[in-house]
């Protein structure tokens, strides 16, 4: 079984920063996509960013461009999302996922348990 475990969430001030981590284990394929999604109570799940391991390309939803950065550390088998200049509207449960890529949640087959980010 593939396992994804998020960490790094918590309360943060307007304009502050956080770094979210996603530890990946149980899968040996070297070419795949990793993504970050978020979901607020009563809201639909929203795609945030993706990274392609085969070429290193990254993509972001418009609302986070210039503020968030997706990256990975191969030695630690960990995916990151750096969140800067945080706004109250960024408040949500953040999930990492592994799959085929894109901005549609259905293209991702494996999901973590989520980590809460609360901006106030």
């Amino acid at each position: 079984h593939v396992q994804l475990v998020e960490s790094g969430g918590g309360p943060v001030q307007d304009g502050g920063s956080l770094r979210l981590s996603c530890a990946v284990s149980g899968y040996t394929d070297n070419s795949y996509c990793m993504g970050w999604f978020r979901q607020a109570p009563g809201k639909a799940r929203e795609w945030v960013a993706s990274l392609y391991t085969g070429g290193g390309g990254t993509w972001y939803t418009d609302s986070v461009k210039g503020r968030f950065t997706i990256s990975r550390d191969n030695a630690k088998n960990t995916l990151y999302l750096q969140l800067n200049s945080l706004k109250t509207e960024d408040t949500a449960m953040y999930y990492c996922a592994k799959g085929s890529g894109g901005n549609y949640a259905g293209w991702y087959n494996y999901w973590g348990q989520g980590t809460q980010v609360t901006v106030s």
Side-chain angles (χ1 to χ4, degrees):
H1 287 279
V2 172
Q3 291 184 306
L4 309 177
V5 181
E6 300 97 332
S7 62
V12 63
Q13 299 177 52
D14 287 328
S17 298
L18 286 174
R19 188 184 70 168
L20 308 184
S21 299
C22 175
V24 183
S25 64
Y27 195 72
T28 59
D29 192 350
N30 290 324
S31 182
Y32 53 89
C33 283
M34 297 293 297
W36 286 97
F37 291 77
R38 64 187 181 186
Q39 188 167 26
K43 300 277 190 174
R45 188 177 300 172
E46 177 189 21
W47 172 74
V48 177
S50 293
L51 178 152
Y52 178 52
T53 64
T58 59
W59 299 265
Y60 301 89
T61 193
D62 287 344
S63 65
V64 309
K65 287 179 180 177
R67 300 190 298 121
F68 293 6
T69 303
I70 187 171
S71 63
R72 65 171 179 159
D73 185 328
N74 290 335
K76 296 181 179 180
N77 207 20
T78 301
L79 181 77
Y80 300 100
L81 186 67
Q82 179 68 43
L83 302 83
N84 295 330
S85 302
L86 283 162
K87 308 172 182 178
T88 55
E89 52 262 45
D90 295 317
T91 295
M93 184 73 74
Y94 283 71
Y95 300 90
C96 68
K98 177 182 182 296
S100 299
N103 62 357
Y104 174 55
W107 289 103
Y108 297 83
N109 297 320
Y110 301 97
W111 296 82
Q113 83 290 346
T115 186
Q116 179 68 38
V117 173
T118 303
V119 186
S120 62

